[in-house]
Amino acid sequence: MSLKPRRIVFDEVWNVLRESLQQVITLQRVKRDVWSDRFVDVYAICVAHPDPLADRLYLETKTFLENHVQKLLVERVLISDPDDASRDGAPGGTSSTLAQPASDLLLARYYEAWREYSEGSQFLNFLYLYLNQQHIKKQKLNEAEVVYGCINNGDNQEKMEIGELALEIWNQYMIQRLGSELVDQILSGINAERVNNISGQCNKNTDIIRGVIQSFVAVQEYRRKGSLKLYQELFEERMLEESGQNFRIVASELLQVCSVSQYMERIIKKFVEEEKLANIYLHASSLPKLRKVCEEEMVTKHLNFLYSECKEMVADERSTDLRNLYILLKPVTDGLKRLIEVFLEHIKEQGKKTIACMKGDSVHIQFVENMLDVHRKYEELIHGTFKSDPLFLGALDKACARIINEKHSNNQVSRSAELVAKYCDSLLKKSKTTEGEIDQKLTRSIIIFKYIEDKDVYQKFYSRMLAKRLIHEQSQSMDAEELMINKLKQACGYEFTNKLHRMFTDISVSTDLNTKFGKYLNDNQLETGINFSVKVLQAGAWPLGPTQVVASFAIPQEFEKSIRLFEKFYHINFSGRKLTWLHHLCHGEMKLSFEKRNYIVTMQTYQMAILLMFENTDKYTCKDLQTSLQLQQEIFQRHLQSLVEAKILLLSEEKMTDETEVSINVNYNNKRTKFKITTNLQKETPQEVEHTMNAVDEDRKMYLQAAIVRIMKSRKVLRHNALIQEILSQSKVSFAPNVSMIKKCIESLIDKQYIERTPNSGDEYSYVA
């Protein structure tokens, strides 16, 4: 076979080619050699000498397809009865074909004709491969020309590939003629399935309806723009309209006989059935549209009915009903708003109930664990019922934050920060709790901590409690302590835990310092006479303010030598530093020898000083003891009382006065030979709590003043409300200041001449450089 262009007689070649086209389009068998020859014929026509005949071939093929489709319409689709056609004696049954079509057979006849024609047109397109690629494609507009319009004002009639041409001709001569009747029958069939609820079954009629619908899409799939236009205009619009009518009727009938719970179940079942129908018959683009129509007619128009039992569902925590309500309301704009509000109020009520009954010494444990139970309960409900919807998780967060930060009056600070700090303290102190349990409980406590607005209050209480644990060596584990601080750092940043880290550093440095002190004593052949160790703490890092320092105390002679030697050692190594001894925080072990047995007792320094007074004397009056020790009366009585309660000392009378005699209990007896009597003294007193809160207030004032100066320095001039908003924004990480405190700080800075009021405006401030 030669590929060289040659002269051909078009009519002769076309007549032969047309016979093969007829066989191909009707899916008749074509021999391989004949198929190959027809390829050659198409090529020969397209490259004919002297003039190519591709345009004529295109027009003749178009005419052939038009005639073929019109013949299909008349002889195979519109025929009223095959028996009538055969009795007329006309070939193909043409004599009675224009009678009214039999509606029950129209879809089937159309579908069979379409299935044959669409498959045949694909083979035909392949046969015309050379014409498509070398003649038609080169004339096609590119993507930019399609989008922005062809700039050529001449012949804008774009040729289509033969496969596309075949589909367009089917649309023009078949679908445009029968479209309305076909859609009527399709919708009738779909409605029948709705009524009979057989959407899950696939049968011959299902295949026919689906195939006809797909033909509306297929005939324009080749288009780069508007490929679904025919499907949407001919079928989808009517389908959505009639579906809406069906949904409206169904909803009206259900409302007459169903409760809210039953209605929701039936509607969700209807959604599932419609989705099955849509997946079987419709193009994927119709699914969201059908769903929207269904939601509009069956949900949006009946929101008041659905909301009518909303409070009862939430109050009774009916998870099934809530899940169904969520499914229905989720797609509706602002549909979940009322449900979320009711859910939030319910959590608040339940949370308040759980913490209202707290009492006893374990209030902090009850508070944290009760709140964690509430949080876990509703978090699980949200995961299981509302699919972890962020809106409901946000409502849970808001509810927990309001419960935890609730204040009984405007001037009071919520106790939550203090209680959570005490809870962590109880976990980190030495106990029988395993490290794994401690880690788990500390991690969960961070959940509550994150809701606390006054994190600076928590930080103050936590740091004081940490200081006591470190000083009195009460920590369960240093690893657990560091783990908790790292958790706080992750939640609030490095600045929040900076001082806590420095406290740990001091303990580590103190250990090394004691080792060096021991070496110093050995090198100089010195002895303290007692087992003596010191913790040197930075004043700026530890929450041990000046009000905690006890100025007057006559140090027992037994301690003086050790203290003097350590001070000498310390000043040799660190010049210019001042040591302040915090005797009220010191403790030690003392051996008590009685007639029956000896005891080793851990006690606080003041208790040791009191007992040392009885080493050579059996009795003292309270006044003599206090005068000798130079202790404040309140502190003296508190420590003396602890020794009396431990039954080591005896009082001559029940009420303690200056003249009350104090004596050693020579008949003291205890089953344990080693014990502590410092526990009660280390508990936080109301005065310490008040001092902590006062320290928080002072820190807040300093923070707010620094923030105001920082803001004004960068902005120069700012109105009052804008300044307030910026301060609130900056301080919300640590605490939520009230506006009155901010105003006082502004006034204080005006007095200090950091800022001033703008002369021409009463509510504007300017920075004083």
Side-chain angles (χ1 to χ4, degrees):
M1 180 189 71
S2 174
L3 296 177
K4 185 178 179 180
R6 56 188 174 85
R7 292 180 181 275
I8 62 168
V9 179
F10 179 83
D11 291 337
E12 292 179 1
V13 178
W14 169 248
N15 289 335
V16 176
L17 180 60
R18 185 172 54 194
E19 291 179 13
S20 296
L21 295 183
Q22 185 64 37
Q23 293 175 320
V24 171
I25 202 69
T26 55
L27 300 181
Q28 298 177 39
R29 183 176 178 81
V30 179
K31 293 181 180 180
R32 182 179 294 277
D33 57 340
V34 174
W35 178 257
S36 299
D37 290 343
R38 298 297 80 78
F39 264 105
V40 174
D41 290 343
V42 170
Y43 171 78
I45 292 172
C46 290
V47 298
H49 182 78
D51 296 316
L53 301 172
D55 288 340
R56 186 174 177 187
L57 174 63
Y58 182 85
L59 292 174
E60 290 291 348
T61 305
K62 181 181 179 182
T63 302
F64 166 79
L65 290 171
E66 290 172 345
N67 292 335
H68 178 73
V69 172
Q70 291 180 51
K71 187 176 180 182
L72 282 177
L73 175 67
V74 173
E75 296 182 357
R76 290 182 56 179
V77 180
L78 288 180
I79 184 171
S80 59
D81 192 322
D83 295 333
D84 292 343
S86 61
R87 282 195 293 271
D88 289 337
T94 58
S95 61
S96 60
T97 54
L98 295 180
Q100 188 68 24
S103 59
D104 56 338
L105 296 175
L106 178 63
L107 284 178
R109 290 197 296 266
Y110 172 89
Y111 174 63
E112 288 302 320
W114 160 252
R115 192 169 62 172
E116 175 189 288
Y117 180 80
S118 60
E119 189 176 350
S121 64
Q122 292 176 21
F123 290 120
L124 201 65
N125 190 62
F126 186 71
L127 182 63
Y128 278 77
L129 186 63
Y130 186 82
L131 177 69
N132 289 336
Q133 292 183 343
Q134 299 300 320
H135 183 71
I136 296 173
K137 279 190 176 180
K138 289 182 179 180
Q139 298 180 18
K140 277 196 171 185
L141 302 175
N142 58 37
E143 195 72 29
E145 291 171 327
V146 171
V147 174
Y148 299 109
C150 182
I151 58 175
N152 181 13
N153 294 325
D155 183 13
N156 285 332
Q157 188 65 37
E158 184 182 354
K159 284 188 173 65
M160 293 178 280
E161 295 181 26
I162 297 303
E164 299 169 354
L165 178 66
L167 295 175
E168 183 59 34
I169 289 171
W170 181 270
N171 176 27
Q172 183 178 351
Y173 291 97
M174 188 70 75
I175 294 178
Q176 296 301 324
R177 167 66 177 83
L178 299 175
S180 179
E181 297 165 77
L182 292 173
V183 172
D184 287 342
Q185 298 308 310
I186 290 169
L187 295 176
S188 177
I190 292 176
N191 284 329
E193 289 208 16
R194 281 193 178 119
V195 173
N196 298 323
N197 193 23
I198 57 173
S199 60
Q201 303 175 12
C202 192
N203 50 46
K204 184 178 179 182
N205 194 50
T206 300
D207 291 336
I208 291 171
I209 294 174
R210 181 170 56 209
V212 175
I213 294 172
Q214 288 175 347
S215 74
F216 300 156
V217 177
V219 294
Q220 290 188 343
E221 270 185 331
Y222 65 89
R223 292 189 175 184
R224 286 175 285 186
K225 289 176 66 178
S227 60
L228 291 175
K229 185 177 180 181
L230 174 67
Y231 167 80
Q232 292 168 346
E233 293 180 350
L234 178 64
F235 169 72
E236 186 181 70
E237 290 178 3
R238 280 193 57 192
M239 180 274 296
L240 294 175
E241 183 181 349
E242 293 200 12
S243 296
Q245 293 175 358
N246 174 267
F247 301 151
R248 203 174 303 126
I249 293 169
V250 171
S252 178
E253 292 173 351
L254 291 177
L255 287 170
Q256 303 300 319
V257 296
C258 293
S259 65
V260 175
S261 297
Q262 293 169 336
Y263 181 80
M264 291 191 298
E265 288 176 358
R266 296 287 292 275
I267 293 304
I268 290 173
K269 184 180 178 183
K270 179 70 173 174
F271 281 5
V272 173
E273 292 169 358
E274 289 298 322
E275 189 171 351
K276 286 181 179 178
L277 274 174
N279 286 326
I280 291 172
Y281 294 117
L282 308 182
H283 187 269
S285 64
S286 297
L287 264 67
K289 298 177 185 177
L290 181 64
R291 175 88 182 194
K292 187 174 181 180
V293 172
C294 191
E295 290 162 355
E296 177 67 26
E297 296 296 337
M298 307 185 89
V299 178
T300 307
K301 291 184 177 179
H302 307 290
L303 285 178
N304 289 335
F305 176 70
L306 293 171
Y307 287 141
S308 62
E309 290 186 19
C310 182
K311 286 187 178 180
E312 290 79 1
M313 291 180 197
V314 174
D316 299 336
E317 296 178 9
R318 287 148 46 186
S319 57
T320 302
D321 286 343
L322 289 173
R323 186 183 302 112
N324 291 339
L325 186 61
Y326 171 77
I327 291 170
L328 295 178
L329 296 180
K330 173 68 174 174
V332 179
T333 304
D334 292 332
L336 292 172
K337 188 174 181 181
R338 190 182 301 182
L339 175 59
I340 291 170
E341 290 173 355
V342 173
F343 185 67
L344 188 150
E345 290 302 318
H346 176 69
I347 298 174
K348 281 175 59 181
E349 289 175 10
Q350 295 303 308
K352 288 178 181 178
K353 285 180 183 177
T354 60
I355 63 176
C357 56
M358 299 186 307
K359 57 184 178 180
D361 294 333
S362 62
V363 169
H364 53 286
I365 297 174
Q366 296 172 44
F367 174 78
V368 175
E369 294 188 350
N370 288 354
M371 282 306 305
L372 284 171
D373 289 340
V374 169
H375 185 275
R376 181 177 59 250
K377 174 184 176 181
Y378 290 104
E379 189 176 46
E380 289 174 356
L381 179 66
I382 291 168
H383 289 324
T385 305
F386 303 124
K387 301 178 182 177
S388 301
D389 191 304
L391 293 174
F392 286 89
L393 290 172
L396 173 61
D397 289 341
K398 286 180 182 177
C400 290
R402 290 180 188 176
I403 298 165
I404 291 169
N405 296 296
E406 186 175 25
K407 300 175 184 178
H408 299 293
S409 67
N410 292 332
N411 296 326
Q412 275 192 330
V413 176
S414 170
R415 285 197 65 203
S416 302
E418 177 189 350
L419 295 175
V420 177
K422 285 183 176 179
Y423 177 79
C424 296
D425 180 57
S426 67
L427 290 174
L428 291 165
K429 278 182 177 176
K430 288 180 180 178
S431 65
K432 294 181 180 180
T433 312
T434 64
E435 286 196 23
E437 290 174 329
I438 291 173
D439 184 18
Q440 184 181 10
K441 289 184 176 181
L442 287 175
T443 301
R444 293 186 64 215
S445 73
I446 294 294
I447 295 173
I448 306 301
F449 167 75
K450 288 180 178 177
Y451 291 121
I452 296 173
E453 288 180 354
D454 299 320
K455 289 185 172 61
D456 58 337
V457 177
Y458 174 93
Q459 198 261 1
K460 270 286 191 258
F461 277 101
Y462 185 86
S463 62
R464 290 188 183 279
M465 293 170 188
L466 173 62
K468 287 187 177 183
R469 291 197 301 275
L470 294 178
I471 291 170
H472 299 301
E473 299 174 0
Q474 293 178 325
S475 291
Q476 170 90 344
S477 162
M478 295 304 285
D479 290 338
E481 294 281 6
E482 290 187 18
L483 178 68
M484 183 60 188
I485 290 175
N486 287 331
K487 291 181 186 298
L488 293 174
K489 182 164 69 174
Q490 290 174 3
C492 298
Y494 175 75
E495 190 64 30
F496 188 83
T497 58
N498 182 25
K499 288 186 178 180
L500 304 181
H501 282 295
R502 287 166 62 189
M503 289 162 69
F504 274 95
T505 303
D506 284 353
I507 295 297
S508 177
V509 170
S510 294
T511 303
D512 295 338
L513 198 61
N514 281 298
T515 303
K516 291 178 181 179
F517 179 55
K519 186 175 183 301
Y520 167 78
L521 294 176
N522 289 332
D523 292 346
N524 293 278
Q525 297 181 348
L526 300 171
E527 290 186 4
T528 60
I530 60 173
N531 188 0
F532 182 78
S533 65
V534 177
K535 293 182 176 70
V536 180
L537 315 177
Q538 299 178 65
W542 292 73
L544 308 170
T547 57
Q548 296 279 357
V549 179
V550 179
S552 61
F553 173 52
I555 301 169
Q557 189 176 1
E558 290 81 358
F559 300 158
E560 279 188 358
K561 184 178 179 183
S562 301
I563 292 172
R564 190 175 65 255
L565 286 172
F566 183 82
E567 286 181 339
K568 183 178 180 182
F569 158 77
Y570 191 79
H571 291 308
I572 289 171
N573 288 275
F574 305 99
S575 60
R577 294 188 185 179
K578 181 183 177 182
L579 285 177
T580 302
W581 292 91
L582 304 178
H583 299 293
H584 66 290
L585 296 176
C586 299
H587 66 279
E589 288 184 349
M590 176 177 280
K591 184 178 180 181
L592 302 180
S593 298
F594 292 91
E595 291 181 0
K596 294 182 180 180
R597 65 199 307 185
N598 297 330
Y599 302 94
I600 296 176
V601 186
T602 301
M603 61 184 72
Q604 207 266 347
T605 305
Y606 298 150
Q607 294 168 323
M608 295 172 71
I610 292 171
L611 289 177
L612 285 170
M613 294 291 292
F614 290 91
E615 192 162 16
N616 299 315
T617 305
D618 293 336
K619 289 184 180 180
Y620 280 100
T621 63
C622 288
K623 184 174 181 61
D624 291 340
L625 270 178
Q626 183 183 345
T627 303
S628 299
L629 295 172
Q630 298 178 18
L631 284 173
Q632 295 176 9
Q633 185 175 6
E634 181 188 349
I635 295 171
F636 169 74
Q637 289 181 354
R638 184 152 55 94
H639 287 79
L640 178 59
Q641 186 65 40
S642 67
L643 293 170
V644 172
E645 289 173 357
K647 298 180 181 179
I648 295 175
L649 295 179
L650 300 175
L651 296 179
S652 60
E653 56 188 7
E654 187 174 343
K655 186 177 180 182
M656 190 184 301
T657 65
D658 287 347
E659 301 306 320
T660 303
E661 289 187 345
V662 184
S663 60
I664 283 283
N665 182 7
V666 293
N667 297 316
Y668 179 78
N669 188 27
N670 196 328
K671 292 181 180 180
R672 295 189 302 169
T673 58
K674 191 172 183 178
F675 56 92
K676 295 180 180 180
I677 56 173
T678 60
T679 307
N680 291 333
L681 294 174
Q682 291 171 7
K683 287 185 177 179
E684 196 159 39
T685 62
Q687 292 80 4
E688 288 179 312
V689 172
E690 184 181 354
H691 170 75
T692 302
M693 296 309 302
N694 291 336
V696 169
D697 282 340
E698 291 302 317
D699 287 349
R700 286 184 174 183
K701 289 174 185 176
M702 295 300 295
Y703 179 92
L704 290 174
Q705 288 183 27
I708 294 167
V709 171
R710 188 166 54 249
I711 292 167
M712 292 304 302
K713 189 173 182 179
S714 63
R715 302 293 293 273
K716 303 304 181 188
V717 177
L718 202 61
R719 288 194 174 276
H720 177 78
N721 289 337
L723 178 59
I724 296 290
Q725 290 304 316
E726 288 209 33
I727 294 168
L728 291 173
S729 177
Q730 287 192 17
S731 60
K732 67 181 179 182
V733 177
S734 298
F735 65 99
N738 55 53
V739 177
S740 62
M741 179 181 282
I742 297 174
K743 288 180 178 178
K744 287 179 181 178
C745 291
I746 292 173
E747 293 298 329
S748 175
L749 289 172
I750 291 173
D751 293 340
K752 294 175 183 178
Q753 296 184 351
Y754 282 96
I755 60 175
E756 63 182 6
R757 287 187 173 86
T758 306
N760 299 327
S761 177
D763 68 338
E764 191 174 65
Y765 306 104
S766 60
Y767 178 70
V768 179

